[in-house]
Amino acid sequence: MRPSSRWTPYLLVGPAVLFFAFVVGLPLVGTVWMSFTKWSGTNRMRFIGFDNFTRAFHDTVYQRAYLNTFIYIAATLVLEVAVGFALAGLVSIQGKRTLWYRITFFIPVMLPMVVIAVLWSFIYSDDGGLINSFLTGIGRDDLRRVWLGDPGTALLAVSVVSGWIYAGFYMAIFYAGLQRVPKSLLEAARLDGASEWDLFFKIKAPLVRGMTEVAVLLCITGAFQSFDLFFVMTKGGPDHATEIITTYLVSTVFVDHEVGYGAALSVIMTVVVVGLGLLYARFRREGDVDVEY
Amino acid sequence: MRRARSFTRLTGIVAVAVASLALTACGSGSGSESTGDSTSSGPFTIRVAMGSTGETVDAVFTKLKAAYEAKYPGRTVEIVIQENDTYETIGLNNLLTSRNAPDVYFERPGTRLATKVHDGYAADITDAVNGPGFTGRFDPAAYSGMQIDGKTYMVPWSGDVTNVFWFNKAIFTANGLTPPATWDEFLALCGKLKAAGITPLVDGNKDKWPIGSIASHLAERSLGNDAYIAAIKGDQPMNSAGMVAAFDNLKTLADNGYINKSVNALPDDQATTQFLLGKAAMIGIGSWLVSDQISQAPKLQIGYFNLPTLPGSGDQKSVLGVSTGFVVNANSEHVSAGTDFLALMSASEATKLFAEAGLTPMTVDPFAGVTADANTVSLATLLSSAPTKVTPADNIDVKRADEFYGAAAAVIGGLKSPQEALDAAQKRVEALPKS
Amino acid sequence: MSTLSTDVTTDRPARVPATRRERRNPRRIASSVLFHTVMTVISLVYLVPLVWMVLSAFKTQGQIFDSPWSLPTSIDLSILGEAWQRGGLGTYVVNSVLVTTISVAGILLFGSMAAFALSRLKFRLRGFFLVFLALGLLLPVQAYFVAQSTLLDRLRINDTRWALIVPYIGLGLSLSVYLLKAYLDSLPKELFECARMDGCGDVRMYFALVFPLIKPGLATVAVFSILSAWNEFLLATLYIQTDDYKTIPVGLLAFTGKYSTDYPLLFAALSIITIPMVAIYVIFHRQVINGITEGTLR
C-alpha cells in the first residue's frame, strides 16, 4: 500500500528506529571501537590496536569461561531440553487432567532469577541446606558435598538449577507442538493396536523434530547469555570453576575497570554467538525452520 | 530464524548507517559537561557516598547530616549508602561519572586513592586539613598513604585490623585451651578441637578476600614486608619459594580438616553467623566482628589472638590492617563545603559516635569518653603499636591481588598444591598488561 | 514463525473418547495411578523448595540451621511486615512498577507504529529498517552493554530509572516489531485498502484501525515485555546502585547482602515477592505461558 504522504512511514517508524539506534546501534559501534583501546572508564582513553585481542587469546580464564559455557550448554541440553521433552511426552501420553502439573512446572520460568538463585544457594548450603540434611536424614552422610564450593560439583549444581527453571519452559513448547499432531492420525494408529509408547516415539516425536532444533538453538544461545544464576550463586567461583563468559566480562569491566579489554571480550563473544547462529542457518539451508505451533 | 538469511547481505549497509548515526549523536552527547568551582551562595546540597558498614554506622551519618545542616543553614546533605561490595566495585565509579556525582566519598588510601588522584577525582585538600577544623585531630602518621607528592587528598576515618583469629571463650575453656603463641601451638590446638568433634576454624571465602587476607599476612611473615609488596606489585614473582612456604600453612589447615569444608562457598557474613552460633571454635576475620557480635550475639564471650609466630624472615609481630578515609571530589562545586563536612566527621563528638557504633576512629582520641567494647579498644592498641603494619594485597594492586587471592582460595579449598596455585597465578599475572 | 496461535495450556487432549469399558479396565486404572504418582513426585521437586522458602520465614535462625526439614512451631505473619519495612521493599516494588509500565507502554506504542509502517506501507528505507531492527533479535545484550553504560554515563542518566527504561524500550522493540508485523502480515490487505479508499490517512488508520486490530498481538508482546522488564537483572545491577531506584531483582540482592545472616527475614522478603507473582501467574497462566513461549521463540 502506498503511504498517504511521503513522510508518514518515517513518522511511524521513527521512534522505534531512533530508540533502537541509540540503545543498540550506537553502543554496538562504540563497543567495537572501545575494543581497540585501553581505558578504565575514568582515565584517558588510549588506542592500542589489537593488543586486547592478543591478550584475550592468551587469557586462560577467558578460555576457561568458554569451556565452562560449553559444559553448561551440554548439561542444559539434557536438563532443560531433554527433560522438557520428556515431561511434554509424559503429559501428552495421559492428556487428561494435567493442567495443574503443567502450571506447576512452569512456575520457575516467570520468577525473578535472583529469588531462585538465593533460594537454591540455601538448598545447596553446607549447613542447614535441604539437600545435605536430606542425605543425612536417609543415612547417606558420605554423599554430602559442599555443592557450590567444590569445583567438581559447582558447575553441575548451577546447571541443575537452570534445568529446574527451564525444563518447564521447553515442556510448554513441546507440549504445544505435540498437541498439533493430527488426531485422526493417532486414532488410526490406535485402531491398529499401537501402544501409547509407539504413538509417542513413532508418530509424535518425529513430527516435532523441527521444534527440537529450535529448542536446541534457543538453549545454546541462551546459555551464552546467562548471567543471573552464576552471578548470585557462585560469582564464577570456586577457582573459576563456574566462570562463564558473561560473569568474566562483567568482572573485567565493572570490577577490574578494564573497559577496553572487556569491550574486546564482548566483541569476541558476539562474533561467536552470531557465527553460531549463521552457521545454524546455513546448516539448515533448505529446511523449513519456521515451526507452525 | 528467517531473519538470518538476509543478514549477511545487509550487515554492511547497517554498519554504515549506524556509523553515521554515531557521528551525529556524538556531537550532541559531549557538550553538556559543566565543571568549575562556582562559589554559589544560595542553598545547595552536597552528596556524601560510601559503602555500608552496618546499620549502626549508617545511623551515625544520619546524625551527622542533621548536625551539619544545623551548623550551616542553607546547606543540605544527601547521604548515599550502597551495599559495600557493590560500592567498591561498580558503585563508586558509576557514581563519579553520574549526573549526581558525590562531593565527598569513601575510599582507601594507597593505590586506590592514587588512581582517583590520577583520574582527576580527588581534590587537593592540603590547606583545609592544615586549617582550624582539623587542628590536633590526627597524628601525622594517620595520613599515611593519603598524601601524594606532598599534597593531602584524604581525611582519615577508621582503622581496622583485617586479620586476627577470634575464639569462642566457652569452647576454649571447656577444652582447656588458651590462645596459642606459635603456629605449631595453633595447629596442635586445632587438632585437639577436631578430635573433640568441634570445627576448629570457620571462614567464608566466597568473595575471596577473607582467606586472601590471611594469605597476605602469612606472605609477609614468610617473606618480609618489602618482598611481599614487591610480589603483589609484580616487581617480584609470586611463586617464589618463600611464598610457597607461606601457602603451605593454608594447605595444612585444609589437609587436616581444620577449616570448614564449605569455606569457598560461604559468604563471609554467614561464616560470622556460624561462629556466633557456636558452630566453630574460631574464625579468622577482622576487627569488625565486634559489631556483628554486639548485634547478633551480645552475650557471647569472645577473645582474639594475632596470627601466631611462624618461621620466616618477616616480622612475626606484624599486624594486618587497613585504614580508610574520605576524599573530596575534585569536580565538586562545593569543595570547601565538603571539607567542612569532613571536619565535622573528625570532631570529637563524631569520633565518640563512631566509636560507640563499634568502629575504631583514626583520630587522636578514638575512645575518649566512650565505654567501647574491650576487644575493640585492645585491637586499636594492637594496630597502633604494631612494629610492622601489613596491608592486604587488594589494597596494593587490585588486579594482581585477585590472582593472589584466587591462589589462596584454591589452596584452602584443597584444589591445588601451593606450588601449582602460585605458578598458575604467576602465569596469569605475567599476562597482564604493564600498568 | 507466522502463526501466533500457540495454545499450550488448554486441555485439549489428543485422545479417543474414553468409553465406560475402557475406564473400568484395571490396566488403565493402574497406569493412571502410576502416571499421577510420577507427576506428583515431579511436582514436589518444584513445590518443595518454594514451600520451604515460605515456611522458613516463620522459623527461628537456629531452627533453619539445625532442622531445615521441620515445620515452624508457629506462624507469625508480622515477620512479613518487618521484612517489607526494614528492607524497604516498597521502594523496589514502586520502581519495578514504574520502570515496567513506562517501558512496556513505549514498546507497545512505538513497536506497533513501526510494525504497521513496515508491514503495510511501501517506502524506500523499509527493507533497511527491517533488517536494522532485526539486529536486536540476533545480538546478545553482552555485545553492546559495555558502551551502552558509557553512553548512559555521558547523558548523565546512569543510576536513575531512565537508565533502565530507555534500554528496556530499545531492547524490547525488536521483538515487538517482529511479532506485530507478522500479525499484521496475516491480516487481509483488503481491510487496509478499503479504509484508504474511504480517505483514511496513515496516522488515522493506525489509531482507528490498526491499533484495535492487533490487540491480541499486543497482549502477547505485553506479557513477554512485562515479565522481561520485571525480572531483568544484568543491566539493572550494572546501571543502578542507589537504593532509591533499584528494581525488585537488584533490590532483593541488596537485601540478601544486607541481611544475609538474618535468615528468617531473608526468606520473608523472598516470599513477599514470590507469593503474589505466583498467584497472578496461576490466574493468568495461559496468557503468561503463551507470552513467554512465543516471545522467546520469536
Side-chain angles (χ1 to χ4, degrees):
Chain A
M1 190 165 63
R2 283 173 60 85
S4 58
S5 94
R6 276 176 61 119
W7 47 268
T8 44
Y10 297 96
L11 185 80
L12 288 166
V13 176
V17 168
L18 287 178
F19 252 102
F20 189 74
F22 178 75
V23 172
V24 178
L26 261 181
L28 185 66
V29 174
T31 304
V32 174
W33 180 55
M34 280 177 189
S35 69
F36 297 105
T37 67
K38 184 169 168 60
W39 191 42
S40 76
T42 50
N43 66 359
R44 187 182 294 273
M45 206 184 254
R46 206 151 45 82
F47 186 80
I48 55 165
F50 284 90
D51 285 7
N52 286 329
F53 292 92
T54 324
R55 183 179 158 197
F57 286 112
H58 294 98
D59 188 334
T60 47
V61 175
Y62 192 52
Q63 289 156 9
R64 181 80 191 270
Y66 274 90
L67 177 68
N68 287 339
T69 305
F70 288 124
I71 296 174
Y72 174 65
I73 288 172
T76 49
L77 279 176
V78 174
L79 293 166
E80 295 176 6
V81 181
V83 171
F85 187 71
L87 286 178
L90 266 178
V91 170
S92 78
I93 286 175
Q94 179 71 7
K96 303 172 267 188
R97 294 191 293 274
T98 57
L99 178 65
W100 281 100
Y101 298 130
R102 283 178 282 130
I103 290 182
T104 306
F105 301 160
F106 202 81
I107 290 176
V109 182
M110 54 114 236
L111 289 179
M113 198 88 95
V114 175
V115 171
I116 293 167
V118 172
L119 176 59
W120 275 84
S121 302
F122 279 101
I123 293 176
Y124 280 132
S125 107
D126 186 42
D127 241 310
L130 274 190
I131 294 179
N132 277 342
S133 59
F134 175 77
L135 291 171
T136 302
I138 60 167
R140 293 302 303 270
D141 253 349
D142 54 312
L143 292 178
R144 282 178 73 118
R145 290 280 180 289
V146 185
W147 300 102
L148 293 173
D150 181 341
T153 55
L155 187 54
L156 193 66
V158 178
S159 307
V160 165
V161 182
S162 194
W164 186 78
I165 299 172
Y166 286 112
F169 165 75
Y170 289 103
M171 176 210 67
I173 293 178
F174 287 122
Y175 181 75
L178 291 172
Q179 292 307 96
R180 303 264 146 185
V181 174
K183 286 160 191 77
S184 52
L185 204 65
L186 297 173
E187 282 173 38
R190 270 203 195 86
L191 289 176
D192 289 344
S195 73
E196 291 294 327
W197 285 102
D198 292 337
L199 290 184
F200 183 72
F201 283 105
K202 300 220 169 100
I203 300 178
K204 291 177 179 174
L207 285 173
V208 292
R209 216 192 101 214
M211 196 165 284
T212 314
E213 286 168 7
V214 175
V216 167
L217 184 72
L218 262 182
C219 181
I220 294 174
T221 51
F224 270 103
Q225 298 179 51
S226 46
F227 173 70
D228 318 19
L229 268 188
F230 290 83
F231 184 76
V232 178
M233 290 179 75
T234 60
K235 283 216 171 134
D239 197 25
H240 303 295
T242 58
E243 197 78 77
I244 54 164
I245 305 169
T246 315
T247 54
Y248 189 58
L249 192 55
V250 165
S251 76
T252 303
V253 175
F254 294 93
V255 180
D256 299 337
H257 303 299
E258 294 207 62
V259 180
Y261 185 51
L265 298 185
S266 120
V267 168
I268 297 172
M269 176 194 165
T270 308
V271 169
V272 171
V273 174
V274 172
L276 277 177
L278 295 179
L279 204 71
Y280 176 82
R282 161 147 292 187
F283 172 68
R284 294 281 316 144
R285 216 171 339 172
E286 291 309 313
D288 176 26
V289 199
D290 287 354
V291 184
E292 300 270 337
Y293 59 92
Chain B
M1 317 297 134
R2 203 184 303 157
R3 59 202 140 84
R5 237 174 271 157
S6 47
F7 176 74
T8 31
R9 185 155 40 90
L10 279 146
T11 329
I13 310 176
V14 174
V16 172
V18 174
S20 60
L21 274 167
L23 289 175
T24 47
C26 280
S28 61
S30 55
S32 57
E33 313 265 330
S34 65
T35 42
D37 206 294
S38 69
T39 40
S40 50
S41 50
F44 60 84
T45 301
I46 60 165
R47 287 163 60 97
V48 181
M50 72 201 80
S52 174
T53 27
E55 281 178 331
T56 34
V57 179
D58 297 350
V60 173
F61 280 94
T62 315
K63 285 184 193 159
L64 288 178
K65 165 187 155 76
Y68 184 85
E69 288 169 355
K71 188 172 176 188
Y72 302 102
R75 295 185 193 176
T76 322
V77 179
E78 190 187 331
I79 307 283
V80 180
I81 299 180
Q82 299 182 350
E83 195 266 312
N84 194 43
D85 202 37
T86 308
Y87 177 83
E88 297 205 7
T89 54
I90 309 172
L92 177 58
N93 268 38
N94 263 5
L95 279 176
L96 287 174
T97 53
S98 81
R99 184 175 36 93
N100 293 318
D103 301 278
V104 174
Y105 59 91
F106 170 93
E107 190 46 285
R108 296 176 182 279
T111 20
R112 287 187 62 119
L113 176 64
T115 309
K116 292 292 181 297
V117 173
H118 178 261
D119 294 351
Y121 289 106
D124 175 2
I125 49 173
T126 316
D127 293 340
V129 297
N130 291 326
F134 297 88
T135 325
R137 296 302 298 147
F138 297 102
D139 275 341
Y143 284 101
S144 150
M146 304 184 182
Q147 290 160 326
I148 294 167
D149 298 333
K151 293 175 188 155
T152 305
Y153 291 97
M154 184 180 260
V155 172
W157 179 41
S158 78
D160 270 319
V161 175
T162 320
N163 171 46
V164 288
F165 290 103
W166 294 92
F167 61 92
N168 183 320
K169 283 189 176 168
I171 297 180
F172 265 41
T173 314
N175 291 278
L177 301 170
T178 50
T182 69
W183 184 257
D184 287 340
E185 286 174 32
F186 174 65
L187 293 178
L189 178 152
C190 287
K192 273 187 199 161
L193 285 164
K194 180 122 198 289
I198 300 161
T199 307
L201 187 61
V202 68
D203 252 308
N205 198 39
K206 187 184 179 192
D207 292 323
K208 293 197 278 196
W209 57 261
I211 296 298
S213 301
I214 297 176
S216 302
H217 206 171
L218 286 168
E220 180 278 332
R221 292 286 181 87
S222 174
L223 297 164
N225 204 19
D226 292 341
Y228 152 70
I229 291 171
I232 301 300
K233 276 191 169 165
D235 300 335
Q236 292 287 325
M238 222 176 241
N239 53 350
S240 62
M243 197 66 97
V244 173
F247 274 53
D248 274 333
N249 298 312
L250 293 177
K251 184 173 154 49
T252 311
L253 294 179
D255 287 353
N256 291 305
Y258 291 162
I259 192 158
N260 56 318
K261 257 168 59 184
S262 58
V263 57
N264 282 333
L266 207 61
D268 58 285
D269 41 12
Q270 292 188 16
T272 300
T273 299
Q274 296 205 8
F275 171 72
L276 295 175
L277 285 172
K279 304 242 165 224
M282 295 179 284
I283 183 170
I285 202 85
S287 49
W288 55 87
L289 182 88
V290 172
S291 56
D292 292 321
Q293 182 242 325
I294 292 170
S295 62
Q296 287 183 44
K299 287 186 189 129
L300 188 74
Q301 293 288 310
I302 57 170
Y304 74 89
F305 54 91
N306 194 9
L307 180 66
T309 58
L310 294 121
S313 45
D315 179 350
Q316 301 307 318
K317 292 285 170 201
S318 67
V319 177
L320 188 77
V322 290
S323 47
T324 63
F326 278 82
V327 177
V328 178
N329 190 346
N331 300 322
S332 166
E333 292 176 18
H334 310 289
V335 170
S336 67
T339 51
D340 287 343
F341 187 83
L342 293 179
L344 192 78
M345 264 182 74
S346 311
S348 52
E349 294 82 2
T351 295
K352 199 172 162 221
L353 289 173
F354 286 128
E356 280 167 352
L359 295 183
T360 305
M362 289 176 72
T363 45
V364 287
D365 52 353
F367 303 113
V370 184
T371 43
D373 180 89
N375 280 323
T376 304
V377 177
S378 130
L379 278 162
T381 318
L382 179 78
L383 186 63
S384 60
S385 63
T388 304
K389 201 170 120 184
V390 187
T391 311
D394 57 358
N395 277 252
I396 299 171
D397 183 317
V398 179
K399 187 78 187 165
R400 287 179 172 78
D402 193 37
E403 301 302 337
F404 180 73
Y405 286 11
V411 172
I412 201 76
L415 314 177
K416 288 180 184 162
S417 74
Q419 189 73 54
E420 285 165 0
L422 287 164
D423 285 350
Q426 177 61 21
K427 208 176 149 207
R428 292 267 306 145
V429 164
E430 278 167 12
L432 291 178
K434 302 275 174 289
S435 42
Chain C
M1 261 134 268
S2 45
T3 35
L4 276 173
S5 50
T6 326
D7 197 353
V8 284
T9 54
T10 36
D11 259 301
R12 210 186 298 144
R15 61 185 161 110
V16 260
T19 64
R20 251 164 215 280
R21 190 177 48 79
E22 271 176 333
R23 219 177 268 161
R24 256 193 257 116
N25 180 338
R27 246 192 79 194
R28 272 198 106 70
I29 294 173
S31 84
S32 172
V33 168
L34 177 71
F35 172 80
H36 285 286
T37 314
V38 170
M39 290 314 251
T40 307
V41 169
I42 301 175
S43 299
L44 286 178
V45 172
Y46 283 87
L47 295 176
V48 165
L50 296 171
V51 172
W52 179 71
M53 169 180 82
V54 176
L55 289 179
S56 294
F58 304 107
K59 292 158 77 167
T60 63
Q61 186 96 330
Q63 283 172 327
I64 293 175
F65 253 115
D66 296 327
S67 46
W69 285 89
S70 70
L71 293 173
T73 42
S74 66
I75 301 282
D76 180 5
L77 290 174
S78 66
I79 182 88
L80 297 177
E82 197 195 334
W84 181 269
Q85 282 274 314
R86 278 179 63 191
L89 297 182
T91 317
Y92 305 146
V93 172
V94 168
N95 287 332
S96 269
V97 169
L98 276 176
V99 167
T100 305
T101 314
I102 301 176
S103 307
V104 173
I107 292 170
L108 293 180
L109 178 68
F110 301 149
S112 58
M113 280 161 59
F116 167 52
L118 293 171
S119 165
R120 290 293 158 187
L121 302 177
K122 287 201 178 85
F123 58 104
R124 269 183 60 196
L125 290 174
R126 181 173 168 275
F128 164 69
F129 284 152
L130 214 50
V131 175
F132 180 50
L133 288 172
L135 216 55
L137 296 175
L138 191 68
L139 293 172
V141 186
Q142 287 89 335
Y144 43 82
F145 77 84
V146 178
Q148 193 179 63
S149 67
T150 313
L151 193 64
L152 298 174
D153 283 356
R154 286 291 142 86
L155 286 176
R156 307 264 152 164
I157 59 166
N158 61 344
D159 213 6
T160 68
R161 291 189 196 96
W162 292 109
L164 295 184
I165 293 170
V166 172
Y168 288 177
I169 293 180
L171 298 183
L173 275 171
S174 289
L175 178 72
S176 148
V177 170
Y178 207 79
L179 277 178
L180 295 175
K181 180 182 170 295
Y183 195 84
L184 279 164
D185 285 346
S186 68
L187 297 174
K189 67 178 182 191
E190 287 76 18
L191 262 175
F192 301 92
E193 279 164 2
C194 283
R196 177 54 48 84
M197 304 267 229
D198 293 342
C200 185
D202 292 336
V203 177
R204 224 184 83 206
M205 197 185 302
Y206 168 76
F207 285 108
L209 184 66
V210 174
F211 208 75
L213 269 177
I214 57 170
K215 266 188 190 151
L218 286 177
T220 304
V221 175
V223 169
F224 186 78
S225 311
I226 289 171
L227 279 164
S228 306
W230 189 264
N231 291 336
E232 204 284 331
F233 179 74
L234 176 65
L235 301 185
T237 195
L238 299 178
Y239 296 170
I240 306 288
Q241 283 81 41
T242 303
D243 251 346
D244 298 351
Y245 308 122
K246 276 179 183 160
T247 51
I248 290 171
V250 185
L252 271 183
L253 191 63
F255 187 100
T256 61
K258 220 166 164 184
Y259 300 104
S260 67
T261 54
D262 193 339
Y263 300 103
L265 198 70
L266 188 58
F267 284 115
L270 294 179
S271 303
I272 294 176
I273 298 301
T274 309
I275 294 169
M277 281 191 74
V278 171
I280 293 172
Y281 157 69
V282 169
I283 298 168
F284 296 105
H285 62 92
R286 182 183 308 173
Q287 289 82 351
V288 172
I289 297 182
N290 283 351
I292 293 183
T293 46
E294 275 173 40
T296 323
L297 284 172
R298 287 158 196 157

